Amino acid sequence: MGLTSNTVLALAIIAGVLLFAATVWWWPKLSGRSWRSVLGRIGLLLATQLALFSAVGLAANKSFLFYGSWADLLGRETAIGKVVDHGMSSDDIKVVDKQKLDVPGGAKPQVGGQILKVAITGQKSKITSPGYVWLPPEYFQPQHKDQNFPASIILTGYPGTAENLIKGLNYPMTAFKQAKAGKMKPMILVMLRPTIAPPRDTECVDIPGGPQTETFFAEDLPQAIQATFRVGKKPQNMGFIGNSTGGYCALKIAAHHPQTFGAAAGLSAYYEAADDPTTGDLFHGDAELKARANVLESIRAKKPTGTSFLVTSSESGEPNLADTKKFIKLVKSPDRVSSIILDSGGHNFNTWRREIPPMLVWMSDRIQA
């Protein structure tokens, strides 16, 4: 009966339907002007609307995972995280907690891999951000103890939570199943949200006098990953993935830093930094900085180095289709570009869940240990 369970959602829907039927049935009998009739009509209307709003709210929360539990929803989840140092921790990445994957034998890391809850600190940007790291089963198996693994940074959209990538978009489970089926190589996944200065949307920009977000994701984070886990230091060892705002960040940062990232995938990415109350003044009148934050301008100016890009959109339902086609035309050899264009699909989790499995296979073909 958890907040995100199917049972709770089904009960809310059933309650809404039954209350609607009761309202229709009882309305003639409550048509009088007595105070009992008036209160009865008010009560039925309020109860029906409450049930309907609850069903809609539960469905939206289940899709976007704004709240993970009843305690979280009611503001009772206030316990401060305890930092527990483990063998994998470094000066830049502190392991806070460990989780298992819900698969048979998943309690053993060499069978089900492991999800680490971490706090990541950037040495250059001085930014600290929470996140999760998925280590595949092979990482813990004796026969691979001296082997490096490819790694991909994965960002949610804005505002987003890193938990969405685990519970909503199922990245670790999808990677586990794809690797087990032999469709992709085992890969380390480093999962964060792009909001490193909440509630501000920094659009992965180094803001003059503000958060140095691009520096954190493009320099600090890769260095922290390489210092903590068995990941190589060449572009072909690391990819960048994201959806929506995270997709914009992935494409832009890979275009700016080909010496760090060999491949990038933008799911439903947009191509120009947002400018609204959530972002504030990102560029402080600096036209060059604003142009640099434009993905189409960045890819047009990029010197081809062999970077691989994947972009996604839909013929119907996505607003980024025209710019996605422009991006595809702007990529110059030896850089490579691939795409997933669905017939129909909106800017939502369901669309991205349809794109993630083939995207991970694509990424696995583009980066290596």
Side-chain angles (χ1 to χ4, degrees):
M1 298 293 284
L3 180 62
T4 60
S5 72
N6 291 327
T7 303
V8 171
L9 178 58
L11 289 174
I13 294 172
I14 292 170
V17 172
L18 291 177
L19 284 167
F20 176 77
T23 300
V24 174
W25 178 261
W26 286 101
W27 198 262
K29 299 179 181 181
L30 297 171
S31 60
R33 295 187 178 182
S34 68
W35 65 269
R36 289 187 179 86
S37 296
V38 173
L39 287 179
R41 294 197 297 271
I42 292 173
L44 282 172
L45 288 173
L46 286 177
T48 302
Q49 290 185 358
L50 179 61
L52 292 174
F53 281 127
S54 296
V56 172
L58 287 167
N61 186 68
K62 183 175 177 60
S63 177
F64 294 100
L65 286 174
F66 298 118
Y67 300 97
S69 65
W70 293 108
D72 191 17
L73 174 65
L74 298 174
R76 296 174 181 169
E77 201 69 82
T78 58
I80 303 300
K82 180 182 178 181
V83 175
V84 180
D85 294 335
H86 300 278
M88 296 175 193
S89 295
S90 69
D91 291 338
D92 302 326
I93 298 182
K94 296 295 182 184
V95 177
V96 178
D97 194 10
K98 296 180 179 180
Q99 303 175 20
K100 68 181 182 68
L101 204 62
D102 189 16
V103 297
K108 297 179 180 179
Q110 63 269 31
V111 175
Q114 195 169 71
I115 301 171
L116 307 177
K117 186 175 183 179
V118 298
I120 304 168
T121 299
Q123 294 298 316
K124 191 172 181 180
S125 65
K126 307 304 179 186
I127 289 170
T128 298
S129 179
Y132 292 87
V133 176
W134 154 251
L135 297 173
E138 292 80 2
Y139 193 90
F140 301 94
Q141 294 170 0
Q143 64 268 37
H144 300 295
K145 65 182 179 64
D146 297 320
Q147 178 184 329
N148 281 349
F149 288 79
S152 284
I153 295 168
I154 308 176
L155 299 187
T156 67
Y158 173 85
T161 64
E163 289 88 346
N164 285 346
L165 298 169
I166 299 173
K167 298 179 180 179
L169 293 178
N170 306 320
Y171 268 99
M173 183 64 79
T174 303
F176 175 85
K177 290 180 177 179
Q178 297 282 76
K180 193 173 182 63
K183 296 180 179 180
M184 64 174 281
K185 298 186 294 288
M187 183 187 305
I188 295 171
L189 306 179
V190 183
M191 299 165 282
L192 304 94
R193 60 181 183 176
T195 315
I196 50 80
R200 188 176 188 184
D201 177 10
T202 57
E203 293 288 299
C204 294
V205 169
D206 280 350
I207 302 172
Q212 303 296 287
T213 316
E214 181 170 343
T215 296
F216 175 78
F217 285 120
E219 300 182 39
D220 289 338
L221 183 55
Q223 290 171 11
I225 294 168
Q226 292 157 354
T228 309
F229 305 105
R230 300 199 305 273
V231 177
K233 298 182 179 181
K234 296 180 179 180
Q236 60 263 35
N237 305 138
M238 190 165 294
F240 209 138
I241 301 166
N243 60 271
S244 190
T245 299
Y248 160 77
C249 291
L251 297 177
K252 178 181 67 174
I253 290 177
H256 292 173
H257 301 271
Q259 74 282 3
T260 301
F261 300 99
L267 310 184
S268 301
Y270 51 86
Y271 297 86
E272 186 174 3
D275 182 8
D276 57 39
T278 68
T279 65
D281 186 359
L282 294 175
F283 308 111
H284 294 258
D286 189 327
E288 185 176 342
L289 190 61
K290 184 176 183 179
R292 189 176 187 275
N294 184 300
V295 175
L296 297 180
E297 291 300 322
S298 296
I299 203 67
R300 182 181 286 112
K302 180 182 183 296
K303 180 180 178 182
T305 57
T307 309
S308 294
F309 296 95
L310 172 70
V311 289
T312 78
S313 188
S314 301
E315 293 289 350
S316 174
E318 282 277 28
N320 73 335
L321 181 60
D323 282 342
T324 296
K325 291 180 178 179
K326 290 179 183 177
F327 179 90
I328 292 171
K329 291 181 179 179
L330 288 171
V331 175
K332 302 179 289 291
S333 181
D335 287 352
R336 295 183 291 174
V337 63
S338 305
S339 67
I340 299 173
I341 308 295
L342 302 176
D343 290 336
S344 176
H347 197 81
N348 55 53
F349 277 33
N350 184 58
T351 295
W352 301 327
R353 281 192 287 260
R354 295 159 63 195
E355 297 167 342
I356 288 170
M359 179 276 294
L360 285 176
V361 172
W362 174 90
M363 182 63 75
S364 176
D365 287 339
R366 298 302 189 274
I367 62 174
Q368 56 190 287

